Amino acid sequence: MSAPAMIVGLAQEVPMIEWLDDVWSRAHAVQIVEGGEDRGPLAGREIMAELRDAGSVDTARVLTTTGRFIGDICRCHGGPTVVLRDVAGEVLASAGLHGHGSVSWERSRFRNDLVVADPRALHLFLAGLGVPDQLTSFLAPLADLLNLQEGRPQFRPTGREGKRYLIERGVPSVLHPVLVAATGQQCGELSDTHVDDVRRRLTAATPSATGRAVILLSWLGRLPIPAEAFWGEGVLVRQLLADLALPDIAAAAAETRTGDVATGVVNLVMHSGDDGTLATAIGPTLRQLFPPAPAPKTTR
C-alpha cells in the first residue's frame, strides 16, 4: 500500500499524484458504490462491493491509478463510484468510473481524468466482484473478433437454408427438426410448450448439465449481434440456460476457453445479471483473447 501510484504524468500533475499516494497509503477499505457524481452524498448509496484485505485493496489501487492523465474531464456523470475509507471509516477520496477505463478522481477538485493502462483488467476485476454491467464493454470487441455483426437477413430463415445456419451455430442435430420450422425471430417467441419440447430433446441427447451448458453458451455466442442474439434465437437459448444450475454454467465457461463461450456468457450476464461467478469463470479466456497492450518504451 506504500508503493507510489504508477502514473505517467506531466509536471503539473505531480500534486495529484502525491495526493493519490497519500490517500491510498491511508486506505483501509475500498468500496464500490452505486451511481456517479449526480447521485449526491456517498452516505446511503448501495454498496455493490467492498474490499478490506490488503491484496485486493492494492489490486484496486493499481488498476485505478496506473495510466495517463488527459487534462480534461468526461462530461457525463459516470458511475459506479470508487470510495476509499480510512481505518475509522471516514471517506478519504472517491472516483467516478466513466465508460471504458476512464477514472475521475475528485473531479470537481482536479478536473483531470485518468485513462487507465489496462481497462479490460479493471472491468474484469469489478465484474468478478459482482459490480453490474462491467462485462458489457467486452461485447463489441468480441463481436469484431468473431465477426458477429449482423447482416441480412437479420434473423435465421426457415427450411433448408435455415438448417445451414443451425449447423454453423453448432446447434445439435436433434433440435433441427423442430427449429427449422420457425425463423430465428419466431424462436424468440416460442410458447412454453415448444420450449419444453426443445429442452427435452436436448436433455435426452446430452444428459450432462455441464455438457448442455457448453452447447448452449457456444450457440448463444455464435448468434449475430444484436437482433438474433438479443431478440431471436438468443431468447430461446437463454430460456434453456435458465434451467441449469449456476455452478454447471460456470464450470462449462471455465473449462471451454473459446471466444464463442465467452460471448455467450457476456450475452447471458447482460440479460440475467451475475454475482461475479460467471465473470470469474471467463476472466482467463477474455485475458487470453484481449491481452494488455505492451507498455510504451521510455527514453532517457
Side-chain angles (χ1 to χ4, degrees):
M1 294 260 291
S2 60
M6 297 174 288
I7 302 174
V8 179
L10 301 176
Q12 63 267 31
E13 293 157 353
V14 170
M16 185 175 180
I17 297 172
E18 294 176 343
W19 172 82
L20 278 170
D21 286 344
D22 175 60
V23 294
W24 276 101
S25 71
R26 293 186 287 126
H28 180 72
V30 179
Q31 294 176 335
I32 314 298
V33 303
E34 65 173 344
E37 285 90 354
D38 62 334
R39 294 299 296 271
L42 297 172
R45 294 199 203 180
E46 178 188 353
I47 299 173
M48 296 184 288
E50 185 168 33
L51 308 173
R52 289 188 173 273
D53 66 278
S56 296
V57 170
D58 194 57
T59 297
R61 176 191 66 81
V62 171
L63 291 175
T64 60
T65 64
T66 306
R68 62 180 177 83
F69 290 109
I70 64 171
D72 199 359
I73 58 172
C74 175
R75 266 52 184 181
C76 78
H77 296 296
T81 297
V82 179
V83 181
L84 307 187
R85 294 188 180 273
D86 64 17
V87 68
E90 297 298 319
V91 174
L92 292 167
S94 64
L97 303 179
H98 290 259
H100 187 68
S102 180
V103 181
S104 189
W105 286 101
E106 301 290 347
R107 183 171 69 161
S108 62
R109 175 181 177 183
F110 293 108
R111 302 185 67 80
N112 195 354
D113 289 357
L114 177 76
V115 176
V116 302
D118 196 350
R120 286 169 178 152
L122 173 59
H123 289 293
L124 273 176
F125 178 69
L126 295 173
L129 297 174
V131 178
D133 304 323
Q134 298 303 304
L135 288 183
T136 304
S137 65
F138 288 91
L139 186 65
L142 283 166
D144 290 338
L145 180 68
L146 302 178
N147 193 28
L148 294 176
Q149 295 86 353
E150 70 179 31
R152 291 289 183 270
Q154 279 189 310
F155 296 96
R156 175 185 56 76
T158 59
R160 181 177 298 177
E161 185 180 1
K163 183 176 181 179
R164 176 174 60 84
Y165 285 83
L166 294 176
I167 294 171
E168 292 174 353
R169 294 169 185 177
V171 181
S173 58
V174 69
L175 302 183
H176 292 182
V178 65
L179 295 181
V180 294
T183 66
Q185 184 172 11
Q186 289 169 338
C187 279
E189 304 166 350
L190 291 177
S191 67
D192 291 343
T193 300
H194 282 97
V195 174
D196 286 340
D197 182 33
V198 175
R199 182 181 297 111
R200 284 192 297 269
R201 289 170 182 256
L202 180 60
T203 302
T206 310
S208 165
T210 303
R212 293 199 301 279
V214 171
I215 291 171
L216 293 170
L217 290 173
S218 181
W219 178 4
L220 187 60
R222 295 182 186 185
L223 298 177
I225 297 170
E228 190 79 273
F230 295 161
W231 303 292
E233 278 183 21
V235 175
L236 170 61
V237 180
R238 290 191 296 273
Q239 287 176 304
L240 298 174
L241 281 165
D243 295 320
L244 298 177
L246 180 59
D248 292 322
I249 298 175
E255 294 168 7
T256 311
R257 296 190 175 187
T258 65
D260 298 333
V261 168
T263 306
V265 170
V266 172
N267 185 326
L268 178 63
V269 168
M270 287 175 64
H271 289 85
S272 59
D274 179 34
D275 63 0
T277 300
L278 295 179
T280 300
I282 63 167
T285 304
L286 292 174
R287 294 303 285 166
Q288 181 179 348
L289 294 173
F290 305 110
K297 294 182 179 179
T298 58
T299 58
R300 295 184 180 273

